[in-house]
Amino acid sequence: MEKVKKKKYRYIKGLDSFRALGVLGIILYHLIPQAVPGGFLGVPLFFLLSGYLLTDHLKVELQGKSEIKFFSYFFRRVKSLYPMLLMMFIFTIPYMFFLQKNLLEKAAGAVVSSLLLVNNWWQVLNGSSYFEKFTNQSPYTHLWFLGVLGQLYLFLPLIFILLQKLFKNKNGKKFLAFFVLSVVSAVLFGLFFSPENPNRSYYGTDTRAFSFFIGSAMAYFWPSYRLKEKINRNSRNVFKVLGFLSLLGIIACFLLVTDHSSRVYYGGMYAFTLLSGLLLMIVVHPGAEFGKLFQGKVVTYLGSRSYGIYLMQYPVMVFYEQRLNVAKNPYIHALIEFILIIMVTELAHFLLKQLVKPKNKYFFLGGSAITLVLLGISIYGLVNPPKVVNESQTELESTLAKNKELIEQKTDEQEKTTTSSTVEETLSEEQIATLKEEFGLNEKEIAYAYKTSGTAVGDSVLLSTAEDLIKVFPKMNVDGKIGRQVYQAPEILKEMAATGQLHDTVLIGLGTNGTFNSSYFEEIMTLLKGKEVYWVNVHAPNVRWQNTVNDTLSELGKKYKNFHLIDWNKEAQNHPEWFYDDQIHPKPTGVKAYIKLVVEKMSGK
């Protein structure tokens, strides 16, 4: 009996490589999204692995016992999440308290919901987005993962116990039950998906459980304790081939899949999880010897520290990128951030070790003192968050809100009457003089802008210019929205064409919020065939994909005679005084420069 026990609880060495693969995908997705756009798929690897191991362990626990002690099992699982989570909070909250107070003001909700393991639903209700890789991003956005995981820790043993009562010795039916649950979850993942706001689909426990349930289903037909240590050479070779193919497939998905692709939600992530399940099956099989190929010190270290690395990576990146210009050398900054993440993670592990298993009393006393001080600051900072009055941010928010209302009002007026009838036929001398003085335009440029019926589509940067843009281009339909990305433009343009708002002159201001591939650009240009397209490039020095987006626009635009690039980045790069604190949204003086550049380019072609 003892011999069987040891076999059933064997340590699976290859799992460190599986964890390392997942955490590397996630980190690279955050650090270099332009190179690893599909790295967010590292998350399903962790859900899959958790579902497999927990169900496998539940099956082992049940042997020799009449029942599973639910509360005992649940608390054993959950308590493993808290030590490093608390350490992350007592590292990051004091940092924000002293150095970045603006981030601490709204941190309490994220912290409390994370400790209660409901952060994913808190973010759904509060509108936070995992894909808004932008300024003022919360350092705790990534904690939605713990909410889903903690809730699945609660539900899994309940489902397991129920299935045990229904199908006591029928593992085939238990496998089928978990498989059906995974399909239902995957269907919900697609049903709740919205291109405009994928939060409900991406964060929901019900919509993300499919990876976990696939792992649970695997535990019934591929239990770790029944896998033979010795298999023939042909079988071993087949396992190796399948292992390498599945590994290459996962890496290819990391490099090629994009987070905004609807295919991810309509079966893509489910298929990816099945592919990952194949790799996991081969890794856990002792006879396949596939795990031994990835047992280097670096992989083993990353796998063993994967949870801590996951927790620390997002705060480090948010703090770092709000302090430094990362656009000029994104890969160098990514390397620096990666090193910082490892250093902070290691420091947290060292401090935890001194609290739990100190080498001597001095280490214990020192670690306890440091922890208590940081904990005290953290609690004080959360209970009494500093009231940061950021006049720059307040002014920007006011401008965006006012311009949004102005656009909506103009749209309502256009629905009641034609654009041309709302604009006088000629400008008075006084109006011309005002536009000359305000924007530095000449009469030819003013006349061109005044008579041009155009369409403008963009993100919050374009939205911040809307009032003056409409003043100079009174016949222009302006549609700007916070957080808008390039991949959303085709649907917007189709809708504008259907409602008669898409004119022959089109101004686009997109790219600030994320990279895009050639297919979206080509789809936009196909929709705008026969129209003159003017695209304002990106000035966002603290955003790592600035140069990638601008280079992509420059390169792809060469293929189209009707494409005209407006180089706002070149115009603005030596004028930090034009911008609010984020160095992205222009102040009134920057807006004047923006409008002047747009008019000069459009009127002169």
Side-chain angles (χ1 to χ4, degrees):
M1 185 67 180
E2 184 65 24
K3 185 176 180 181
V4 174
K5 262 190 175 180
K6 288 183 179 179
K7 182 178 179 182
K8 291 179 178 180
Y9 281 102
R10 70 180 177 88
Y11 174 68
I12 305 173
K13 295 181 180 179
L15 293 186
D16 281 335
S17 63
F18 197 81
R19 294 186 183 97
L21 179 64
V23 79
L24 276 175
I26 295 167
I27 289 180
L28 293 177
Y29 166 70
H30 290 139
L31 289 176
I32 46 174
Q34 65 274 24
V36 192
F40 66 99
L41 292 170
V43 172
L45 268 68
F46 285 104
F47 285 145
L48 173 74
L49 180 60
S50 295
Y52 176 79
L53 291 179
L54 293 180
T55 307
D56 199 48
H57 288 170
L58 279 169
K59 290 177 66 183
V60 172
E61 278 201 21
L62 190 62
Q63 293 187 7
K65 299 179 181 180
S66 59
E67 61 180 12
I68 295 290
K69 293 183 179 179
F70 167 71
F71 288 105
S72 174
Y73 182 84
F74 173 68
F75 285 115
R76 283 205 314 272
R77 298 277 72 80
V78 169
K79 73 178 183 180
S80 66
L81 300 176
Y82 281 103
M84 187 54 67
L85 177 63
L86 291 171
M87 195 60 64
M88 186 270 288
F89 283 139
I90 68 171
F91 273 29
T92 56
I93 296 172
Y95 175 89
M96 291 187 285
F97 183 79
F98 291 111
L99 297 174
Q100 287 187 252
K101 290 181 171 61
N102 61 305
L103 295 175
L104 185 58
E105 192 172 359
K106 299 178 181 179
V111 172
V112 172
S113 61
S114 297
L115 293 174
L116 295 175
L117 300 177
V118 292
N119 180 267
N120 58 320
W121 295 113
W122 181 83
Q123 292 201 51
V124 168
L125 294 173
N126 284 272
S128 302
S129 175
Y130 189 62
F131 303 112
E132 288 181 1
K133 303 176 282 287
F134 199 45
T135 56
N136 288 326
Q137 177 72 295
S138 167
Y140 303 138
T141 303
H142 64 316
L143 296 183
W144 70 271
F145 169 82
L146 287 187
V148 175
L149 193 61
Q151 291 157 46
L152 290 174
Y153 280 176
L154 173 66
F155 295 133
L156 177 63
L158 293 174
I159 297 171
F160 182 89
I161 292 168
L162 176 62
L163 293 179
Q164 185 63 22
K165 290 183 180 296
L166 293 174
F167 314 113
K168 187 171 183 179
N169 296 312
K170 299 176 181 179
N171 284 344
K173 290 189 176 181
K174 295 173 188 175
F175 160 78
L176 184 61
F178 274 115
F179 180 75
V180 170
L181 285 173
S182 74
V183 172
V184 170
S185 175
V187 170
L188 293 175
F189 190 54
L191 286 176
F192 283 115
F193 171 64
S194 167
E196 284 293 315
N197 185 3
N199 291 0
R200 171 62 182 87
S201 180
Y202 197 82
Y203 289 150
T205 306
D206 52 348
T207 53
R208 295 308 301 270
F210 61 86
S211 299
F212 198 89
F213 289 147
I214 289 174
S216 294
M218 280 176 54
Y220 283 97
F221 74 87
W222 204 259
S224 64
Y225 55 87
R226 288 188 179 177
L227 302 176
K228 297 179 181 179
E229 293 186 14
K230 293 184 179 181
I231 58 176
N232 62 53
R233 180 180 294 180
N234 288 337
S235 297
R236 193 159 52 246
N237 289 336
V238 169
F239 278 138
K240 287 181 180 178
V241 171
L242 291 175
F244 276 115
L245 289 176
S246 57
L247 177 61
L248 289 174
I250 290 170
I251 294 172
C253 289
F254 283 175
L255 297 176
L256 300 175
V257 175
T258 58
D259 55 30
H260 47 261
S261 172
S262 59
R263 294 175 184 175
V264 170
Y265 297 85
Y266 299 133
M269 193 179 289
Y270 190 85
F272 175 83
T273 306
L274 292 177
L275 175 66
S276 304
L278 176 60
L279 178 61
L280 180 59
M281 287 170 58
I282 297 166
V283 167
V284 301
H285 198 298
E289 299 181 351
F290 191 77
K292 292 181 181 179
L293 300 175
F294 302 95
Q295 288 180 21
K297 291 182 178 180
V298 174
V299 170
T300 301
Y301 172 81
L302 290 175
S304 65
R305 293 285 193 268
S306 57
Y307 178 56
I309 291 172
Y310 179 84
L311 290 180
M312 298 299 178
Q313 43 115 13
Y314 216 76
V316 169
M317 287 186 279
V318 169
F319 298 156
Y320 184 92
E321 291 169 25
Q322 290 197 8
R323 290 286 182 180
L324 296 170
N325 181 336
V326 298
K328 288 185 177 180
N329 299 290
Y331 289 97
I332 292 176
H333 285 290
L335 178 60
I336 294 171
E337 288 176 80
F338 184 80
I339 293 171
L340 288 173
I341 291 165
I342 298 299
M343 290 173 62
V344 174
T345 302
E346 196 57 37
L347 179 60
H349 270 276
F350 175 79
L351 191 54
L352 270 177
K353 189 176 180 180
Q354 304 318 310
L355 294 174
V356 179
K357 294 181 179 179
K359 290 184 177 181
N360 57 56
K361 66 178 182 180
Y362 298 107
F363 277 113
F364 174 75
L365 291 173
S368 299
I370 293 171
T371 302
L372 286 173
V373 170
L374 293 175
L375 180 62
I377 296 171
S378 299
I379 293 173
Y380 180 82
L382 290 176
V383 175
N384 301 286
K387 301 295 182 183
V388 180
V389 180
N390 188 325
E391 294 182 1
S392 175
Q393 184 68 21
T394 301
E395 184 180 339
L396 172 59
E397 290 174 357
S398 175
T399 297
L400 293 175
K402 180 181 67 175
N403 286 356
K404 179 183 178 183
E405 186 177 341
L406 176 65
I407 289 173
E408 291 172 350
Q409 181 181 347
K410 190 171 189 292
T411 302
D412 290 340
E413 291 175 356
Q414 289 170 347
E415 289 177 354
K416 296 175 182 178
T417 182
T418 61
T419 304
S420 57
S421 65
T422 64
V423 179
E424 296 178 7
E425 291 299 321
T426 58
L427 281 168
S428 66
E429 291 295 326
E430 184 180 353
Q431 288 174 310
I432 293 173
T434 300
L435 292 175
K436 279 183 177 181
E437 180 180 356
E438 194 170 351
F439 297 96
L441 302 171
N442 59 42
E443 290 189 18
K444 178 184 174 183
E445 292 165 342
I446 293 171
Y448 167 83
Y450 186 75
K451 68 180 183 181
T452 298
S453 295
T455 300
V457 176
D459 50 34
S460 57
V461 175
L462 183 78
L463 180 61
S464 69
T465 71
E467 182 178 15
D468 282 343
L469 194 62
I470 293 171
K471 186 186 296 184
V472 176
F473 289 91
K475 296 182 180 181
M476 182 170 281
N477 297 322
V478 181
D479 188 339
K481 185 177 179 181
I482 297 171
R484 180 175 284 163
Q485 296 202 45
V486 173
Y487 72 88
Q488 296 170 318
E491 290 303 317
I492 296 167
L493 293 171
K494 289 176 186 177
E495 186 177 339
M496 296 183 94
T499 56
Q501 294 179 305
L502 188 60
H503 298 290
D504 290 336
T505 300
V506 180
L507 176 67
I508 298 178
L510 292 168
T512 309
N513 297 298
T515 58
F516 59 94
N517 57 38
S518 59
S519 63
Y520 290 110
F521 182 85
E522 289 165 0
E523 184 179 1
I524 290 170
M525 294 307 296
T526 299
L527 287 169
L528 299 179
K529 185 177 181 180
K531 304 182 186 298
E532 295 299 318
V533 180
Y534 299 87
W535 200 309
V536 185
N537 70 5
V538 174
H539 177 76
N542 63 342
V543 174
R544 64 178 71 256
W545 54 84
Q546 172 198 272
N547 293 351
T548 301
V549 168
N550 290 345
D551 291 344
T552 300
L553 286 172
S554 181
E555 189 63 29
L556 294 178
K558 294 176 183 178
K559 296 166 56 178
Y560 300 90
K561 291 183 179 180
N562 65 325
F563 177 87
H564 311 281
L565 182 66
I566 300 178
D567 199 345
W568 172 236
N569 183 51
K570 182 180 179 181
E571 184 79 7
Q573 61 186 355
N574 294 321
H575 295 281
E577 73 280 2
W578 286 355
F579 298 90
Y580 290 105
D581 291 346
D582 61 11
Q583 284 299 300
I584 295 173
H585 295 91
K587 291 179 178 179
T589 52
V591 170
K592 309 300 182 192
Y594 183 101
I595 301 296
K596 185 176 189 299
L597 180 67
V598 167
V599 175
E600 287 176 348
K601 182 67 177 180
M602 291 176 68
S603 62
K605 292 186 182 180

